[in-house]
Amino acid sequence: MLKLIVTAGPDKGLAFSAEDGQTIQIGRSQAATHRLTDPAVSRVHCEIEAAGDKFVLHNISTNGTQVNGEATTERPLKHNDVIRIGNSELRVVADVGEATTAMVPPPAAGDLSNLVGKPLARYQIDTVIARGTTGTVFKATDTQGGPAVALKVLQPEFSQNEEEMQRFVRAMKTMLPVRHPNIVQILAAGKTGPWCWIAMELVEGESLTRVIQRIGVAGMLDWKVAFKIAAQIAAALDYAHGQSIIHRNVTPQNILIQQSDKAAKLGDLMLAKALEGVMAKDVTKPGELLGDVAYMAPERTRGTGGVDGRSDLYGLGATVYAVLTGRPPFSALGLPELVQ
């Protein structure tokens, strides 16, 4: 684990952390995983990536990043390093790297990174693609000769309640026949041991979140790019709504841009429905909402039901706003203020 403490700047005293295998972004926008209020910090200023048993800092701001007073574009971090971005300084206060591997505690039971290199059902798990509150997405090899897949493995808590399992099964049965060029295809789903998993089409590209992060550095995208994304995801939603399927969590993170043809594909369709029960509430922290609140329709924040396709259209509108401007339509320092 890497730990950072802000030692200078408007957010002095604030602490950040990154788990083994996790990549974090630091900046002043909602797109960053860890936010600073320093106006001299870029929307997404730098990224810290777990690389083996080290954490490597990458500068992604035209304003530059310094480590121990030296400008850097890429640098492994070690204990007591001082990172300067804008008018803020962050000190590395946890030992990282090969010399301290023995100090890192073993992964907790719910830490899905333990699955790397192991088989699950017919798949061999290769590398971590992304992490979330409810599970982890891995790149995996089909041992029966099929194409490589994106394998989403849910936290084991979800398999411990029969009602939640039935909700998951119903959602996956609904999605397996769905076919649309702008929807990430679900290839298979099941439960193996304590793990519920979903094998999906592997989209070679990047999430729209990463595209938006670059906007803060390189300037806004051409409106024609935003229009194409909007039209393609709207077509995906139109098809899904025609099948009586509501996404419930349309956000930049759930939209993938395919590298080969720049096509936009909507992922995690029906997963929010599958995870909205009691066990999902147990996995999230008290007061936390399942989904990205910055892109969440107001009716979804009330938890009173009544969600339909219009909530998806709100999420798409907020997403396109972020593509055009580099930030979601609303921001705040805390969850209650953001919901309000």
Side-chain angles (χ1 to χ4, degrees):
M1 177 186 291
L2 174 141
K3 294 182 180 179
L4 299 169
I5 293 181
V6 182
T7 56
D11 303 284
K12 184 176 180 179
L14 192 65
F16 299 147
S17 65
E19 301 290 338
D20 295 347
Q22 182 182 22
T23 297
I24 64 171
Q25 298 85 34
I26 301 173
R28 59 179 173 83
S29 79
Q30 289 281 352
T33 53
H34 296 295
R35 294 184 61 200
L36 296 174
T37 60
D38 183 350
V41 169
S42 298
R43 291 188 179 96
V44 179
H45 201 107
C46 63
E47 180 176 87
I48 298 175
E49 175 188 18
D53 55 4
K54 292 184 172 65
F55 287 88
V56 180
L57 180 140
H58 302 274
N59 172 60
I60 51 178
S61 170
T62 54
N63 296 328
T65 299
Q66 295 182 355
V67 177
N68 302 331
E70 298 180 359
T72 185
T73 56
E74 180 177 311
R75 177 165 174 162
L77 296 174
K78 62 182 186 300
H79 180 58
N80 271 337
D81 277 349
V82 176
I83 304 166
R84 185 170 184 85
I85 57 176
N87 295 319
S88 298
E89 289 186 353
L90 301 86
R91 182 178 296 275
V92 180
V93 294
D95 290 340
V96 294
E98 294 179 355
T100 60
T101 301
M103 299 175 61
V104 179
D111 185 351
L112 302 186
S113 62
N114 280 338
L115 296 176
V116 172
K118 297 180 180 178
L120 185 64
R122 60 187 283 179
Y123 302 100
Q124 179 71 26
I125 296 177
D126 299 327
T127 57
V128 174
I129 296 176
R131 298 173 184 270
T133 304
T134 59
T136 299
V137 180
F138 302 91
K139 183 176 181 179
T141 301
D142 186 342
T143 60
Q144 297 183 16
V149 301
L151 188 70
K152 181 152 193 169
V153 183
L154 305 182
Q155 293 286 1
E157 290 88 346
F158 287 105
S159 67
Q160 296 174 4
N161 180 284
E162 182 61 29
E163 182 180 347
E164 301 306 311
M165 279 300 304
Q166 291 305 315
R167 184 192 302 274
F168 174 78
V169 169
R170 288 195 300 270
M172 293 305 104
K173 283 184 176 179
T174 300
M175 282 305 303
L176 280 170
V178 169
R179 297 290 184 274
H180 190 277
N182 299 112
I183 293 176
V184 176
Q185 183 179 341
I186 291 181
L187 304 172
K191 179 178 179 291
T192 302
W195 313 110
C196 290
W197 54 267
I198 310 159
M200 301 171 286
E201 167 192 6
L202 180 64
V203 179
E204 297 289 354
E206 62 182 348
S207 73
L208 192 54
T209 296
R210 297 301 297 263
V211 175
I212 292 171
Q213 287 171 357
R214 290 202 303 273
I215 295 173
V217 177
M220 291 183 292
L221 288 178
D222 187 286
W223 69 267
K224 295 176 185 177
V225 176
F227 180 84
K228 179 182 177 182
I229 293 170
Q232 291 182 344
I233 299 304
L237 289 174
D238 182 58
Y239 171 82
H241 294 168
Q243 306 292 316
S244 299
I245 297 171
I246 310 301
H247 191 288
R248 291 173 169 81
N249 194 29
V250 178
T251 70
Q253 188 62 40
N254 286 330
I255 296 173
L256 300 176
I257 306 301
Q258 190 162 261
Q259 186 175 13
S260 59
D261 57 4
K262 304 303 180 186
K265 289 179 173 279
L266 181 63
D268 271 1
L269 196 61
M270 282 294 283
L271 190 58
K273 176 65 175 177
L275 303 181
E276 70 180 2
V278 176
M279 295 309 295
K281 295 175 183 176
D282 290 344
V283 169
T284 56
K285 298 174 183 177
E288 185 177 47
L289 295 167
L290 187 62
D292 193 329
V293 181
Y295 300 92
M296 189 178 288
E299 62 271 18
R300 282 205 57 224
T301 69
R302 302 188 188 112
T304 56
V307 173
D308 59 27
R310 291 171 292 182
S311 298
D312 287 347
L313 296 183
Y314 180 99
L316 177 57
T319 294
V320 174
Y321 182 100
V323 173
L324 290 168
T325 65
R327 59 182 177 82
F330 302 102
S331 60
L333 295 179
L335 180 62
E337 293 83 2
L338 181 59
V339 170
Q340 182 62 34

